[in-house]
Amino acid sequence: MYELKISFFSLLLILYLGTHATAQKVSRWTGELQKGIIVAHATDLIPVADSQPFGFRAGFDVLQKSRDAWHACHCHHFLGIDFSYHNFNNREILGSALSLSGAFEPVIWHNKNWLLSVRSGMGISYITRVYDEEFNPDNNFFSSPISFLLFISPKISYKLSERWMSSLTLHYNHISNGGQRQPNRGMNFPTLGIGISYLVRDLDLPDHEAEKASKKVAWHADFFGTMRDDPVNPGRKPSFGVSAGSIYRIGRVNGLGAGAEINWDLAANEISGSGNAAILGTYFSHHFLFGRFDFSQRMTWYIQKPVGYQPDRTFFQRYILSYEIFKGVRVGVGLKTHGHVAENIDFRIGWRK
């Protein structure tokens, strides 16, 4: 019943968006078949990960050809929604995932017949089989039926005719519950997709002149927070913090940065019971800068952390997608991981000058 509701509302939203077309808008419908592998990021996961997931994706996207839309990321880009189904080819332990997600797909390069783009996005997944201490103890990938999907997908498309395009896409997918329930090992599963797309009108992309790049160095501060599963007691605990640093632009779409953060993680503090919930770190970062969008990857070294929290870890990663809603003001979402293992998803608001 849950699956039918997701399918029904997804179809209604796609149909609604598809009825609103303008001369400056290109609408695209896509169907895609996928097959891939599961990455076993720990030795105890290897027996369960020995399968080849398969599935499909149905998507609807809109590309605005206007100059104002182009300046949002200094590129032509599709915005859309996806409905996807992934069967993990292990019915009793892993089951399958039904996902509804939003997507952003900037066009990196194009000519008359070819299109190179990178699709990324996030959404909500319904997992049919999750961890259960008694009935499903081998599933350490998923512990919550409602989880989060994150993906990044390099894609090459070929124009078959005025209205039809074929595509080959390499998806790197990650599903976890964002620290809402344990165990939260999460699953990384790359898939290869072969798709066909129908364009409501011809994809004839105009050339827009880029504005002068912004200044070389920018300063920023971010406030972030989430609710994490308490590893000791029932319920959840807040985790919040602030980070600050600088970004040095080394090209139109690339930047390097450095900074520091302090995170008060009350869930991590429950492990030690010391009363000191502060996690202090310093980081280096890389940024993909597409106009108002910024996708950054931070490598952060622990300077201070509660006793007993991640005792064998000296660093962690944060992956952050942010968007400038007003001049200097940004909102976004971040994912904290230790290698392939996701710890939590946070929401953030920041300032940049």
Side-chain angles (χ1 to χ4, degrees):
M1 191 66 176
Y2 187 91
E3 296 92 331
L4 291 175
K5 287 181 179 180
I6 290 181
S7 303
F8 178 71
F9 286 114
S10 300
L11 181 61
L12 283 182
L13 181 57
I14 291 172
L15 290 173
Y16 171 79
L17 293 172
T19 60
H20 292 71
T22 69
Q24 290 292 307
K25 181 188 295 185
V26 177
S27 300
R28 181 181 68 181
W29 305 71
T30 299
E32 182 184 75
L33 297 177
Q34 299 181 18
K35 189 168 185 178
I37 61 173
I38 298 173
V39 177
H41 49 265
T43 55
D44 61 306
L45 296 175
I46 292 176
V48 183
D50 187 22
S51 66
Q52 296 183 336
F54 62 90
F56 68 86
R57 177 181 70 88
F60 175 75
D61 302 285
V62 171
L63 182 147
Q64 295 280 1
K65 296 195 287 185
S66 68
R67 183 181 179 85
D68 288 343
W70 187 88
H71 277 299
C73 66
H74 289 172
C75 62
H76 293 292
H77 58 279
F78 290 94
L79 294 174
I81 62 171
D82 288 344
F83 172 74
S84 60
Y85 166 79
H86 291 102
N87 186 311
F88 298 113
N89 217 1
N90 188 335
R91 181 180 178 182
E92 295 302 319
I93 298 176
L94 299 179
S96 57
L98 287 159
S99 306
L100 184 65
S101 54
F104 168 61
E105 184 182 327
V107 176
I108 306 301
W109 172 86
H110 69 93
N111 65 12
K112 182 179 179 181
N113 294 316
W114 294 91
L115 198 75
L116 180 63
S117 58
V118 179
R119 190 174 184 85
S120 61
M122 68 176 299
I124 296 177
S125 295
Y126 173 71
I127 311 296
T128 61
R129 294 287 292 167
V130 298
Y131 171 85
D132 184 277
E133 186 175 2
E134 181 179 355
F135 299 107
N136 196 13
D138 294 327
N139 186 353
N140 280 279
F141 288 111
F142 310 123
S143 60
S144 175
I146 304 299
S147 295
F148 299 98
L149 168 69
L150 300 172
F151 62 88
I152 184 166
S153 310
K155 176 179 181 182
I156 187 165
S157 304
Y158 179 73
K159 195 172 184 180
L160 300 171
S161 67
E162 183 177 304
R163 297 294 179 89
W164 292 93
M165 298 189 76
S166 60
S167 61
L168 183 68
T169 308
L170 178 62
H171 302 272
Y172 194 85
N173 309 288
H174 172 82
I175 294 179
S176 71
N177 66 47
Q180 302 305 302
R181 188 177 297 176
Q182 298 297 327
N184 183 38
R185 307 291 286 277
M187 180 185 286
N188 301 293
F189 58 105
T191 58
L192 187 65
I194 298 176
I196 189 78
S197 298
Y198 174 76
L199 305 170
V200 174
R201 57 170 46 85
D202 187 28
L203 186 66
D204 181 20
L205 300 178
D207 292 325
H208 296 303
E209 185 177 346
E211 296 176 342
K212 185 179 179 180
S214 60
K215 59 185 181 180
K216 285 285 187 180
V217 179
W219 301 90
H220 67 90
D222 301 310
F223 300 91
F224 56 91
T226 188
M227 296 293 291
R228 289 193 55 208
D229 185 62
D230 188 331
V232 178
N233 305 301
R236 296 183 174 89
K237 296 287 186 179
S239 175
F240 56 93
V242 59
S243 65
S246 63
I247 303 170
Y248 180 78
R249 185 182 289 268
I250 57 174
R252 183 163 294 279
V253 297
N254 286 281
L256 296 176
E261 72 167 57
I262 183 168
N263 176 199
W264 291 273
D265 191 330
L266 302 187
N269 178 60
E270 290 296 324
I271 299 173
S272 65
S274 64
N276 181 9
I279 300 174
L280 184 63
T282 182
Y283 66 82
F284 292 102
S285 61
H286 173 265
H287 300 256
F288 288 114
L289 304 167
F290 294 101
R292 295 182 180 179
F293 290 92
D294 179 359
F295 174 58
S296 62
Q297 312 90 52
R298 296 180 182 177
M299 180 71 75
T300 309
W301 282 263
Y302 285 113
I303 297 174
Q304 154 70 32
K305 57 183 176 178
V307 175
Y309 168 72
Q310 299 291 344
D312 57 341
R313 305 284 188 175
T314 58
F315 63 89
F316 64 90
Q317 303 86 38
R318 286 197 190 274
Y319 302 94
I320 301 168
L321 179 64
S322 67
Y323 180 77
E324 185 181 51
I325 55 172
F326 305 111
K327 185 175 178 59
V329 180
R330 310 184 70 85
V331 296
V333 61
L335 172 69
K336 180 181 179 180
T337 73
H338 294 90
H340 291 289
V341 182
E343 180 169 293
N344 63 68
I345 293 175
D346 63 65
F347 299 93
R348 52 187 60 217
I349 183 168
W351 165 87
R352 183 177 299 179
K353 183 176 180 180

